[in-house]
Amino acid sequence: MIDTLAKLKSRLAYLANRDDMFDSVSFSPATIDGEITVAIENSTRTISRDLAKRGGLGLQEVLDDTLVTVSGTETVTLPTGFAGSKAFIRTSNPNVVLQPRDFVSLVNDFASPTPGAPLVYSIVSGATPKVYLRPIPDSAYTLRLVYWKALVTLTDSVTNPLFDAHPDIYEAAGMVEIALSVEDEAGATRWRVVYEQKMNDLSQSDRNSQWAAAMSGAMPQVQITIA
């Protein structure tokens, strides 16, 4: 079973029949990581973008109850690794689900600076993603955020939920990257088909599991990822 970065590297080298790809390359003014290392790093980026395009994955879901507004401050800083929101709730009595808006609509719909209990939000991404609230909070409110956490880069001691549960997807994505690096277009096309099929199967399975929970009357599970 592929359950470590070292095993994934060995598997990719075996499939490519290129153990020389482990080697780093000295190319002035810097040393370049070996092809397999670069392929795996690029695979994480590719899979992360693909998951975002598909609307996230249950394995990425994190629940955060630690966000608190500050009276008179319109923004709240989002957690590290934030990649998209699934639910944003003001945990008052009763709880209120905040509604998403694009930033222009947020300002147009709540043009008055009159403070109050937040009802809507807009996310502004950047180096430090923030959520803008309207009305601007008139007090300290506790917020519950269910969000998708970005996949972390694999290391010898750190993995991510997608790799832990579906290392075969990393295998396929890695082989696409390796084939591209050696200009094997036929190989890249073949492995891209394999990758797309595996991602489609994963997305369908994830949707089915959430629908099954909803139809049974149970709430979908939120899996907590501890970085």
Side-chain angles (χ1 to χ4, degrees), residues 44 47-49 51-52 55-64 79-86 145-153 158-162 222-227:
T44 297
I47 295 168
S48 293
R49 288 192 293 264
L51 289 175
L57 184 70
L59 288 169
Q60 293 177 280
E61 289 178 1
V62 180
L63 186 149
D64 190 333
T80 301
F82 176 86
S85 65
K86 182 175 183 179
L145 174 65
V146 180
Y147 70 99
W148 289 289
K149 184 167 184 159
L151 299 178
V152 299
T153 301
V158 176
T159 59
N160 62 56
L162 190 284
V222 176
Q223 300 189 26
I224 308 300
T225 302
I226 301 176

PDB file of all heavy atoms in Angstrom, residues 44 47-49 51-52 55-64 79-86 145-153 158-162 222-227:
ATOM      1  N   THR A  44       0.003  17.837  -6.355  1.00  0.00           N
ATOM      2  CA  THR A  44      -0.804  18.427  -5.283  1.00  0.00           C
ATOM      3  C   THR A  44      -1.498  19.685  -5.776  1.00  0.00           C
ATOM      4  O   THR A  44      -2.684  19.908  -5.501  1.00  0.00           O
ATOM      5  CB  THR A  44       0.077  18.756  -4.065  1.00  0.00           C
ATOM      6  OG1 THR A  44       0.625  17.540  -3.530  1.00  0.00           O
ATOM      7  CG2 THR A  44      -0.746  19.450  -2.976  1.00  0.00           C
ATOM      8  N   ILE A  47      -4.325  18.623  -8.288  1.00  0.00           N
ATOM      9  CA  ILE A  47      -5.468  18.019  -7.609  1.00  0.00           C
ATOM     10  C   ILE A  47      -6.239  19.068  -6.816  1.00  0.00           C
ATOM     11  O   ILE A  47      -7.476  19.068  -6.794  1.00  0.00           O
ATOM     12  CB  ILE A  47      -5.001  16.870  -6.695  1.00  0.00           C
ATOM     13  CG1 ILE A  47      -4.401  15.733  -7.537  1.00  0.00           C
ATOM     14  CG2 ILE A  47      -6.150  16.346  -5.852  1.00  0.00           C
ATOM     15  CD1 ILE A  47      -3.659  14.683  -6.722  1.00  0.00           C
ATOM     16  N   SER A  48      -5.523  19.976  -6.162  1.00  0.00           N
ATOM     17  CA  SER A  48      -6.186  21.034  -5.391  1.00  0.00           C
ATOM     18  C   SER A  48      -7.054  21.900  -6.287  1.00  0.00           C
ATOM     19  O   SER A  48      -8.205  22.213  -5.947  1.00  0.00           O
ATOM     20  CB  SER A  48      -5.143  21.900  -4.670  1.00  0.00           C
ATOM     21  OG  SER A  48      -4.464  21.174  -3.674  1.00  0.00           O
ATOM     22  N   ARG A  49      -6.511  22.303  -7.432  1.00  0.00           N
ATOM     23  CA  ARG A  49      -7.304  23.120  -8.367  1.00  0.00           C
ATOM     24  C   ARG A  49      -8.498  22.338  -8.894  1.00  0.00           C
ATOM     25  O   ARG A  49      -9.605  22.881  -9.042  1.00  0.00           O
ATOM     26  CB  ARG A  49      -6.419  23.589  -9.525  1.00  0.00           C
ATOM     27  CG  ARG A  49      -5.398  24.653  -9.144  1.00  0.00           C
ATOM     28  CD  ARG A  49      -4.764  25.272 -10.388  1.00  0.00           C
ATOM     29  NE  ARG A  49      -3.953  24.303 -11.108  1.00  0.00           N
ATOM     30  CZ  ARG A  49      -2.632  24.170 -10.959  1.00  0.00           C
ATOM     31  NH1 ARG A  49      -1.981  24.918 -10.087  1.00  0.00           N
ATOM     32  NH2 ARG A  49      -1.965  23.286 -11.668  1.00  0.00           N
ATOM     33  N   LEU A  51     -10.118  19.837  -7.433  1.00  0.00           N
ATOM     34  CA  LEU A  51     -11.132  19.697  -6.388  1.00  0.00           C
ATOM     35  C   LEU A  51     -11.910  20.988  -6.201  1.00  0.00           C
ATOM     36  O   LEU A  51     -13.129  20.968  -5.996  1.00  0.00           O
ATOM     37  CB  LEU A  51     -10.471  19.281  -5.071  1.00  0.00           C
ATOM     38  CG  LEU A  51      -9.933  17.857  -5.010  1.00  0.00           C
ATOM     39  CD1 LEU A  51      -9.188  17.624  -3.695  1.00  0.00           C
ATOM     40  CD2 LEU A  51     -11.066  16.835  -5.146  1.00  0.00           C
ATOM     41  N   ALA A  52     -11.212  22.130  -6.269  1.00  0.00           N
ATOM     42  CA  ALA A  52     -11.897  23.418  -6.143  1.00  0.00           C
ATOM     43  C   ALA A  52     -12.890  23.602  -7.284  1.00  0.00           C
ATOM     44  O   ALA A  52     -14.016  24.072  -7.075  1.00  0.00           O
ATOM     45  CB  ALA A  52     -10.870  24.549  -6.133  1.00  0.00           C
ATOM     46  N   GLY A  55     -16.029  21.683  -6.682  1.00  0.00           N
ATOM     47  CA  GLY A  55     -16.837  22.057  -5.528  1.00  0.00           C
ATOM     48  C   GLY A  55     -16.393  21.467  -4.213  1.00  0.00           C
ATOM     49  O   GLY A  55     -17.163  21.425  -3.254  1.00  0.00           O
ATOM     50  N   GLY A  56     -15.141  21.026  -4.141  1.00  0.00           N
ATOM     51  CA  GLY A  56     -14.627  20.505  -2.870  1.00  0.00           C
ATOM     52  C   GLY A  56     -14.947  19.040  -2.655  1.00  0.00           C
ATOM     53  O   GLY A  56     -15.690  18.418  -3.410  1.00  0.00           O
ATOM     54  N   LEU A  57     -14.388  18.497  -1.595  1.00  0.00           N
ATOM     55  CA  LEU A  57     -14.517  17.076  -1.279  1.00  0.00           C
ATOM     56  C   LEU A  57     -14.718  16.910   0.220  1.00  0.00           C
ATOM     57  O   LEU A  57     -14.161  17.674   1.017  1.00  0.00           O
ATOM     58  CB  LEU A  57     -13.235  16.347  -1.720  1.00  0.00           C
ATOM     59  CG  LEU A  57     -13.182  14.836  -1.563  1.00  0.00           C
ATOM     60  CD1 LEU A  57     -14.121  14.169  -2.568  1.00  0.00           C
ATOM     61  CD2 LEU A  57     -11.755  14.326  -1.775  1.00  0.00           C
ATOM     62  N   GLY A  58     -15.544  15.930   0.598  1.00  0.00           N
ATOM     63  CA  GLY A  58     -15.811  15.706   2.016  1.00  0.00           C
ATOM     64  C   GLY A  58     -14.553  15.518   2.843  1.00  0.00           C
ATOM     65  O   GLY A  58     -14.492  15.949   4.002  1.00  0.00           O
ATOM     66  N   LEU A  59     -13.526  14.908   2.254  1.00  0.00           N
ATOM     67  CA  LEU A  59     -12.285  14.680   2.981  1.00  0.00           C
ATOM     68  C   LEU A  59     -11.577  15.983   3.340  1.00  0.00           C
ATOM     69  O   LEU A  59     -10.738  16.011   4.232  1.00  0.00           O
ATOM     70  CB  LEU A  59     -11.340  13.814   2.146  1.00  0.00           C
ATOM     71  CG  LEU A  59     -11.711  12.343   1.991  1.00  0.00           C
ATOM     72  CD1 LEU A  59     -10.845  11.681   0.938  1.00  0.00           C
ATOM     73  CD2 LEU A  59     -11.571  11.618   3.315  1.00  0.00           C
ATOM     74  N   GLN A  60     -11.912  17.056   2.638  1.00  0.00           N
ATOM     75  CA  GLN A  60     -11.289  18.360   2.898  1.00  0.00           C
ATOM     76  C   GLN A  60     -12.051  19.181   3.932  1.00  0.00           C
ATOM     77  O   GLN A  60     -11.578  20.229   4.349  1.00  0.00           O
ATOM     78  CB  GLN A  60     -11.241  19.190   1.608  1.00  0.00           C
ATOM     79  CG  GLN A  60     -10.345  18.672   0.510  1.00  0.00           C
ATOM     80  CD  GLN A  60     -10.479  19.565  -0.705  1.00  0.00           C
ATOM     81  OE1 GLN A  60     -11.418  19.454  -1.480  1.00  0.00           O
ATOM     82  NE2 GLN A  60      -9.527  20.474  -0.874  1.00  0.00           N
ATOM     83  N   GLU A  61     -13.236  18.726   4.334  1.00  0.00           N
ATOM     84  CA  GLU A  61     -14.098  19.560   5.164  1.00  0.00           C
ATOM     85  C   GLU A  61     -13.575  19.714   6.594  1.00  0.00           C
ATOM     86  O   GLU A  61     -13.152  18.743   7.229  1.00  0.00           O
ATOM     87  CB  GLU A  61     -15.511  18.989   5.198  1.00  0.00           C
ATOM     88  CG  GLU A  61     -16.248  19.156   3.892  1.00  0.00           C
ATOM     89  CD  GLU A  61     -17.628  18.547   3.923  1.00  0.00           C
ATOM     90  OE1 GLU A  61     -18.021  18.000   4.977  1.00  0.00           O
ATOM     91  OE2 GLU A  61     -18.309  18.605   2.897  1.00  0.00           O
ATOM     92  N   VAL A  62     -13.624  20.934   7.060  1.00  0.00           N
ATOM     93  CA  VAL A  62     -13.204  21.268   8.423  1.00  0.00           C
ATOM     94  C   VAL A  62     -14.288  22.136   9.051  1.00  0.00           C
ATOM     95  O   VAL A  62     -14.847  23.020   8.398  1.00  0.00           O
ATOM     96  CB  VAL A  62     -11.858  22.028   8.436  1.00  0.00           C
ATOM     97  CG1 VAL A  62     -11.439  22.364   9.863  1.00  0.00           C
ATOM     98  CG2 VAL A  62     -10.770  21.215   7.743  1.00  0.00           C
ATOM     99  N   LEU A  63     -14.586  21.894  10.311  1.00  0.00           N
ATOM    100  CA  LEU A  63     -15.526  22.730  11.052  1.00  0.00           C
ATOM    101  C   LEU A  63     -14.755  23.581  12.038  1.00  0.00           C
ATOM    102  O   LEU A  63     -13.943  23.065  12.808  1.00  0.00           O
ATOM    103  CB  LEU A  63     -16.553  21.860  11.781  1.00  0.00           C
ATOM    104  CG  LEU A  63     -17.700  22.593  12.478  1.00  0.00           C
ATOM    105  CD1 LEU A  63     -18.955  21.720  12.472  1.00  0.00           C
ATOM    106  CD2 LEU A  63     -17.350  22.940  13.935  1.00  0.00           C
ATOM    107  N   ASP A  64     -14.999  24.904  12.003  1.00  0.00           N
ATOM    108  CA  ASP A  64     -14.289  25.849  12.863  1.00  0.00           C
ATOM    109  C   ASP A  64     -15.309  26.685  13.624  1.00  0.00           C
ATOM    110  O   ASP A  64     -16.101  27.419  13.029  1.00  0.00           O
ATOM    111  CB  ASP A  64     -13.389  26.745  12.013  1.00  0.00           C
ATOM    112  CG  ASP A  64     -12.438  27.588  12.857  1.00  0.00           C
ATOM    113  OD1 ASP A  64     -12.781  27.885  14.014  1.00  0.00           O
ATOM    114  OD2 ASP A  64     -11.361  27.957  12.348  1.00  0.00           O
ATOM    115  N   PRO A  79      -9.456  30.967   8.365  1.00  0.00           N
ATOM    116  CA  PRO A  79      -8.397  30.053   8.823  1.00  0.00           C
ATOM    117  C   PRO A  79      -7.323  29.816   7.759  1.00  0.00           C
ATOM    118  O   PRO A  79      -7.584  29.911   6.555  1.00  0.00           O
ATOM    119  CB  PRO A  79      -9.164  28.754   9.122  1.00  0.00           C
ATOM    120  CG  PRO A  79     -10.587  29.158   9.267  1.00  0.00           C
ATOM    121  CD  PRO A  79     -10.776  30.331   8.374  1.00  0.00           C
ATOM    122  N   THR A  80      -6.141  29.481   8.225  1.00  0.00           N
ATOM    123  CA  THR A  80      -5.051  29.126   7.323  1.00  0.00           C
ATOM    124  C   THR A  80      -5.440  27.905   6.495  1.00  0.00           C
ATOM    125  O   THR A  80      -5.974  26.933   7.018  1.00  0.00           O
ATOM    126  CB  THR A  80      -3.774  28.816   8.128  1.00  0.00           C
ATOM    127  OG1 THR A  80      -3.411  29.962   8.891  1.00  0.00           O
ATOM    128  CG2 THR A  80      -2.632  28.435   7.203  1.00  0.00           C
ATOM    129  N   GLY A  81      -5.180  27.959   5.210  1.00  0.00           N
ATOM    130  CA  GLY A  81      -5.513  26.833   4.339  1.00  0.00           C
ATOM    131  C   GLY A  81      -6.922  26.889   3.783  1.00  0.00           C
ATOM    132  O   GLY A  81      -7.356  25.956   3.104  1.00  0.00           O
ATOM    133  N   PHE A  82      -7.645  27.991   4.031  1.00  0.00           N
ATOM    134  CA  PHE A  82      -9.009  28.117   3.536  1.00  0.00           C
ATOM    135  C   PHE A  82      -9.032  28.018   2.020  1.00  0.00           C
ATOM    136  O   PHE A  82      -8.305  28.705   1.330  1.00  0.00           O
ATOM    137  CB  PHE A  82      -9.600  29.455   3.986  1.00  0.00           C
ATOM    138  CG  PHE A  82     -10.977  29.735   3.443  1.00  0.00           C
ATOM    139  CD1 PHE A  82     -12.099  29.261   4.102  1.00  0.00           C
ATOM    140  CD2 PHE A  82     -11.148  30.461   2.277  1.00  0.00           C
ATOM    141  CE1 PHE A  82     -13.368  29.523   3.603  1.00  0.00           C
ATOM    142  CE2 PHE A  82     -12.399  30.725   1.774  1.00  0.00           C
ATOM    143  CZ  PHE A  82     -13.515  30.253   2.437  1.00  0.00           C
ATOM    144  N   ALA A  83      -9.913  27.126   1.483  1.00  0.00           N
ATOM    145  CA  ALA A  83     -10.002  26.947   0.033  1.00  0.00           C
ATOM    146  C   ALA A  83     -11.420  27.105  -0.481  1.00  0.00           C
ATOM    147  O   ALA A  83     -11.649  26.977  -1.684  1.00  0.00           O
ATOM    148  CB  ALA A  83      -9.461  25.571  -0.350  1.00  0.00           C
ATOM    149  N   GLY A  84     -12.377  27.397   0.374  1.00  0.00           N
ATOM    150  CA  GLY A  84     -13.758  27.573  -0.047  1.00  0.00           C
ATOM    151  C   GLY A  84     -14.704  27.260   1.098  1.00  0.00           C
ATOM    152  O   GLY A  84     -14.399  26.423   1.946  1.00  0.00           O
ATOM    153  N   SER A  85     -15.846  27.944   1.127  1.00  0.00           N
ATOM    154  CA  SER A  85     -16.780  27.749   2.233  1.00  0.00           C
ATOM    155  C   SER A  85     -17.949  26.866   1.822  1.00  0.00           C
ATOM    156  O   SER A  85     -18.404  26.908   0.679  1.00  0.00           O
ATOM    157  CB  SER A  85     -17.306  29.093   2.741  1.00  0.00           C
ATOM    158  OG  SER A  85     -18.084  29.731   1.746  1.00  0.00           O
ATOM    159  N   LYS A  86     -18.433  26.086   2.758  1.00  0.00           N
ATOM    160  CA  LYS A  86     -19.615  25.258   2.557  1.00  0.00           C
ATOM    161  C   LYS A  86     -20.792  25.806   3.342  1.00  0.00           C
ATOM    162  O   LYS A  86     -21.930  25.789   2.873  1.00  0.00           O
ATOM    163  CB  LYS A  86     -19.330  23.816   2.986  1.00  0.00           C
ATOM    164  CG  LYS A  86     -20.508  22.875   2.747  1.00  0.00           C
ATOM    165  CD  LYS A  86     -20.139  21.441   3.060  1.00  0.00           C
ATOM    166  CE  LYS A  86     -21.305  20.514   2.742  1.00  0.00           C
ATOM    167  NZ  LYS A  86     -20.970  19.095   3.020  1.00  0.00           N
ATOM    168  N   LEU A 145     -17.976  28.077  10.894  1.00  0.00           N
ATOM    169  CA  LEU A 145     -17.592  27.972   9.490  1.00  0.00           C
ATOM    170  C   LEU A 145     -17.278  26.524   9.144  1.00  0.00           C
ATOM    171  O   LEU A 145     -16.467  25.877   9.812  1.00  0.00           O
ATOM    172  CB  LEU A 145     -16.358  28.848   9.211  1.00  0.00           C
ATOM    173  CG  LEU A 145     -15.729  28.741   7.820  1.00  0.00           C
ATOM    174  CD1 LEU A 145     -16.684  29.252   6.748  1.00  0.00           C
ATOM    175  CD2 LEU A 145     -14.413  29.518   7.767  1.00  0.00           C
ATOM    176  N   VAL A 146     -17.940  26.010   8.115  1.00  0.00           N
ATOM    177  CA  VAL A 146     -17.584  24.717   7.550  1.00  0.00           C
ATOM    178  C   VAL A 146     -16.927  25.026   6.206  1.00  0.00           C
ATOM    179  O   VAL A 146     -17.549  25.633   5.327  1.00  0.00           O
ATOM    180  CB  VAL A 146     -18.809  23.811   7.357  1.00  0.00           C
ATOM    181  CG1 VAL A 146     -18.383  22.463   6.770  1.00  0.00           C
ATOM    182  CG2 VAL A 146     -19.535  23.596   8.676  1.00  0.00           C
ATOM    183  N   TYR A 147     -15.665  24.642   6.072  1.00  0.00           N
ATOM    184  CA  TYR A 147     -14.926  25.033   4.869  1.00  0.00           C
ATOM    185  C   TYR A 147     -14.070  23.892   4.345  1.00  0.00           C
ATOM    186  O   TYR A 147     -13.852  22.877   5.027  1.00  0.00           O
ATOM    187  CB  TYR A 147     -14.054  26.248   5.154  1.00  0.00           C
ATOM    188  CG  TYR A 147     -12.855  26.007   6.056  1.00  0.00           C
ATOM    189  CD1 TYR A 147     -11.579  25.828   5.535  1.00  0.00           C
ATOM    190  CD2 TYR A 147     -12.988  25.968   7.443  1.00  0.00           C
ATOM    191  CE1 TYR A 147     -10.478  25.626   6.349  1.00  0.00           C
ATOM    192  CE2 TYR A 147     -11.898  25.762   8.271  1.00  0.00           C
ATOM    193  CZ  TYR A 147     -10.651  25.593   7.725  1.00  0.00           C
ATOM    194  OH  TYR A 147      -9.562  25.380   8.548  1.00  0.00           O
ATOM    195  N   TRP A 148     -13.615  24.074   3.121  1.00  0.00           N
ATOM    196  CA  TRP A 148     -12.694  23.125   2.516  1.00  0.00           C
ATOM    197  C   TRP A 148     -11.272  23.613   2.739  1.00  0.00           C
ATOM    198  O   TRP A 148     -10.944  24.764   2.448  1.00  0.00           O
ATOM    199  CB  TRP A 148     -12.966  22.981   1.022  1.00  0.00           C
ATOM    200  CG  TRP A 148     -14.238  22.267   0.729  1.00  0.00           C
ATOM    201  CD1 TRP A 148     -14.497  20.939   0.906  1.00  0.00           C
ATOM    202  CD2 TRP A 148     -15.443  22.850   0.225  1.00  0.00           C
ATOM    203  NE1 TRP A 148     -15.794  20.656   0.539  1.00  0.00           N
ATOM    204  CE2 TRP A 148     -16.401  21.806   0.120  1.00  0.00           C
ATOM    205  CE3 TRP A 148     -15.814  24.138  -0.152  1.00  0.00           C
ATOM    206  CZ2 TRP A 148     -17.685  22.019  -0.338  1.00  0.00           C
ATOM    207  CZ3 TRP A 148     -17.097  24.362  -0.611  1.00  0.00           C
ATOM    208  CH2 TRP A 148     -18.021  23.307  -0.706  1.00  0.00           C
ATOM    209  N   LYS A 149     -10.451  22.709   3.247  1.00  0.00           N
ATOM    210  CA  LYS A 149      -9.063  23.058   3.525  1.00  0.00           C
ATOM    211  C   LYS A 149      -8.181  22.621   2.361  1.00  0.00           C
ATOM    212  O   LYS A 149      -8.289  21.500   1.862  1.00  0.00           O
ATOM    213  CB  LYS A 149      -8.587  22.385   4.815  1.00  0.00           C
ATOM    214  CG  LYS A 149      -7.181  22.765   5.220  1.00  0.00           C
ATOM    215  CD  LYS A 149      -6.869  22.334   6.629  1.00  0.00           C
ATOM    216  CE  LYS A 149      -5.483  22.808   7.036  1.00  0.00           C
ATOM    217  NZ  LYS A 149      -5.303  22.877   8.468  1.00  0.00           N
ATOM    218  N   ALA A 150      -7.297  23.510   1.931  1.00  0.00           N
ATOM    219  CA  ALA A 150      -6.394  23.206   0.825  1.00  0.00           C
ATOM    220  C   ALA A 150      -5.489  22.024   1.179  1.00  0.00           C
ATOM    221  O   ALA A 150      -5.123  21.827   2.340  1.00  0.00           O
ATOM    222  CB  ALA A 150      -5.545  24.432   0.492  1.00  0.00           C
ATOM    223  N   LEU A 151      -5.156  21.240   0.178  1.00  0.00           N
ATOM    224  CA  LEU A 151      -4.261  20.105   0.391  1.00  0.00           C
ATOM    225  C   LEU A 151      -2.849  20.602   0.684  1.00  0.00           C
ATOM    226  O   LEU A 151      -2.322  21.451  -0.046  1.00  0.00           O
ATOM    227  CB  LEU A 151      -4.235  19.211  -0.851  1.00  0.00           C
ATOM    228  CG  LEU A 151      -5.557  18.579  -1.282  1.00  0.00           C
ATOM    229  CD1 LEU A 151      -5.352  17.769  -2.554  1.00  0.00           C
ATOM    230  CD2 LEU A 151      -6.128  17.698  -0.172  1.00  0.00           C
ATOM    231  N   VAL A 152      -2.239  20.066   1.721  1.00  0.00           N
ATOM    232  CA  VAL A 152      -0.865  20.453   2.031  1.00  0.00           C
ATOM    233  C   VAL A 152       0.097  19.624   1.193  1.00  0.00           C
ATOM    234  O   VAL A 152      -0.217  18.514   0.752  1.00  0.00           O
ATOM    235  CB  VAL A 152      -0.546  20.270   3.538  1.00  0.00           C
ATOM    236  CG1 VAL A 152      -1.452  21.132   4.381  1.00  0.00           C
ATOM    237  CG2 VAL A 152      -0.664  18.801   3.944  1.00  0.00           C
ATOM    238  N   THR A 153       1.274  20.170   0.973  1.00  0.00           N
ATOM    239  CA  THR A 153       2.311  19.460   0.228  1.00  0.00           C
ATOM    240  C   THR A 153       2.788  18.251   1.020  1.00  0.00           C
ATOM    241  O   THR A 153       2.973  18.316   2.237  1.00  0.00           O
ATOM    242  CB  THR A 153       3.497  20.404  -0.043  1.00  0.00           C
ATOM    243  OG1 THR A 153       3.028  21.529  -0.796  1.00  0.00           O
ATOM    244  CG2 THR A 153       4.599  19.693  -0.802  1.00  0.00           C
ATOM    245  N   VAL A 158       4.497  14.436   6.717  1.00  0.00           N
ATOM    246  CA  VAL A 158       3.170  15.048   6.606  1.00  0.00           C
ATOM    247  C   VAL A 158       2.485  14.565   5.333  1.00  0.00           C
ATOM    248  O   VAL A 158       3.085  14.560   4.254  1.00  0.00           O
ATOM    249  CB  VAL A 158       3.270  16.591   6.582  1.00  0.00           C
ATOM    250  CG1 VAL A 158       1.890  17.207   6.361  1.00  0.00           C
ATOM    251  CG2 VAL A 158       3.875  17.113   7.877  1.00  0.00           C
ATOM    252  N   THR A 159       1.235  14.143   5.470  1.00  0.00           N
ATOM    253  CA  THR A 159       0.426  13.776   4.310  1.00  0.00           C
ATOM    254  C   THR A 159      -0.828  14.652   4.321  1.00  0.00           C
ATOM    255  O   THR A 159      -0.948  15.562   5.121  1.00  0.00           O
ATOM    256  CB  THR A 159       0.048  12.291   4.347  1.00  0.00           C
ATOM    257  OG1 THR A 159      -0.697  12.017   5.552  1.00  0.00           O
ATOM    258  CG2 THR A 159       1.283  11.412   4.306  1.00  0.00           C
ATOM    259  N   ASN A 160      -1.756  14.372   3.431  1.00  0.00           N
ATOM    260  CA  ASN A 160      -3.038  15.064   3.440  1.00  0.00           C
ATOM    261  C   ASN A 160      -4.155  14.036   3.268  1.00  0.00           C
ATOM    262  O   ASN A 160      -3.903  12.896   2.855  1.00  0.00           O
ATOM    263  CB  ASN A 160      -3.080  16.168   2.369  1.00  0.00           C
ATOM    264  CG  ASN A 160      -2.932  15.621   0.959  1.00  0.00           C
ATOM    265  OD1 ASN A 160      -3.689  14.760   0.523  1.00  0.00           O
ATOM    266  ND2 ASN A 160      -1.950  16.143   0.216  1.00  0.00           N
ATOM    267  N   PRO A 161      -5.401  14.396   3.581  1.00  0.00           N
ATOM    268  CA  PRO A 161      -6.495  13.416   3.557  1.00  0.00           C
ATOM    269  C   PRO A 161      -6.712  12.755   2.204  1.00  0.00           C
ATOM    270  O   PRO A 161      -7.059  11.569   2.152  1.00  0.00           O
ATOM    271  CB  PRO A 161      -7.725  14.246   3.971  1.00  0.00           C
ATOM    272  CG  PRO A 161      -7.170  15.385   4.756  1.00  0.00           C
ATOM    273  CD  PRO A 161      -5.857  15.697   4.119  1.00  0.00           C
ATOM    274  N   LEU A 162      -6.523  13.483   1.113  1.00  0.00           N
ATOM    275  CA  LEU A 162      -6.718  12.899  -0.211  1.00  0.00           C
ATOM    276  C   LEU A 162      -5.697  11.807  -0.472  1.00  0.00           C
ATOM    277  O   LEU A 162      -6.036  10.714  -0.940  1.00  0.00           O
ATOM    278  CB  LEU A 162      -6.638  14.008  -1.270  1.00  0.00           C
ATOM    279  CG  LEU A 162      -7.037  13.704  -2.724  1.00  0.00           C
ATOM    280  CD1 LEU A 162      -5.973  12.916  -3.471  1.00  0.00           C
ATOM    281  CD2 LEU A 162      -8.390  13.011  -2.801  1.00  0.00           C
ATOM    282  N   VAL A 222     -18.921  15.769   8.847  1.00  0.00           N
ATOM    283  CA  VAL A 222     -17.869  16.745   8.593  1.00  0.00           C
ATOM    284  C   VAL A 222     -16.574  16.180   9.169  1.00  0.00           C
ATOM    285  O   VAL A 222     -16.485  15.924  10.358  1.00  0.00           O
ATOM    286  CB  VAL A 222     -18.195  18.099   9.249  1.00  0.00           C
ATOM    287  CG1 VAL A 222     -17.042  19.051   9.042  1.00  0.00           C
ATOM    288  CG2 VAL A 222     -19.483  18.673   8.679  1.00  0.00           C
ATOM    289  N   GLN A 223     -15.618  15.940   8.320  1.00  0.00           N
ATOM    290  CA  GLN A 223     -14.376  15.336   8.762  1.00  0.00           C
ATOM    291  C   GLN A 223     -13.400  16.443   9.148  1.00  0.00           C
ATOM    292  O   GLN A 223     -13.177  17.370   8.377  1.00  0.00           O
ATOM    293  CB  GLN A 223     -13.796  14.459   7.653  1.00  0.00           C
ATOM    294  CG  GLN A 223     -14.769  13.352   7.269  1.00  0.00           C
ATOM    295  CD  GLN A 223     -14.126  12.356   6.353  1.00  0.00           C
ATOM    296  OE1 GLN A 223     -12.916  12.176   6.361  1.00  0.00           O
ATOM    297  NE2 GLN A 223     -14.925  11.682   5.555  1.00  0.00           N
ATOM    298  N   ILE A 224     -12.858  16.333  10.337  1.00  0.00           N
ATOM    299  CA  ILE A 224     -11.958  17.349  10.852  1.00  0.00           C
ATOM    300  C   ILE A 224     -10.527  17.027  10.474  1.00  0.00           C
ATOM    301  O   ILE A 224     -10.042  15.924  10.720  1.00  0.00           O
ATOM    302  CB  ILE A 224     -12.067  17.464  12.385  1.00  0.00           C
ATOM    303  CG1 ILE A 224     -13.535  17.650  12.805  1.00  0.00           C
ATOM    304  CG2 ILE A 224     -11.213  18.595  12.906  1.00  0.00           C
ATOM    305  CD1 ILE A 224     -14.184  18.888  12.232  1.00  0.00           C
ATOM    306  N   THR A 225      -9.859  17.970   9.838  1.00  0.00           N
ATOM    307  CA  THR A 225      -8.462  17.803   9.448  1.00  0.00           C
ATOM    308  C   THR A 225      -7.601  18.632  10.403  1.00  0.00           C
ATOM    309  O   THR A 225      -7.812  19.831  10.527  1.00  0.00           O
ATOM    310  CB  THR A 225      -8.230  18.267   8.012  1.00  0.00           C
ATOM    311  OG1 THR A 225      -9.076  17.530   7.141  1.00  0.00           O
ATOM    312  CG2 THR A 225      -6.782  18.081   7.610  1.00  0.00           C
ATOM    313  N   ILE A 226      -6.684  17.989  11.079  1.00  0.00           N
ATOM    314  CA  ILE A 226      -5.780  18.702  11.965  1.00  0.00           C
ATOM    315  C   ILE A 226      -4.433  18.810  11.294  1.00  0.00           C
ATOM    316  O   ILE A 226      -3.778  17.813  11.028  1.00  0.00           O
ATOM    317  CB  ILE A 226      -5.640  17.963  13.316  1.00  0.00           C
ATOM    318  CG1 ILE A 226      -7.019  17.839  13.992  1.00  0.00           C
ATOM    319  CG2 ILE A 226      -4.672  18.707  14.238  1.00  0.00           C
ATOM    320  CD1 ILE A 226      -6.992  17.047  15.266  1.00  0.00           C
ATOM    321  N   ALA A 227      -4.058  20.060  10.960  1.00  0.00           N
ATOM    322  CA  ALA A 227      -2.784  20.277  10.249  1.00  0.00           C
ATOM    323  C   ALA A 227      -1.627  20.008  11.184  1.00  0.00           C
ATOM    324  O   ALA A 227      -1.711  20.205  12.390  1.00  0.00           O
ATOM    325  CB  ALA A 227      -2.732  21.711   9.732  1.00  0.00           C
TER     326      ALA A 227
END
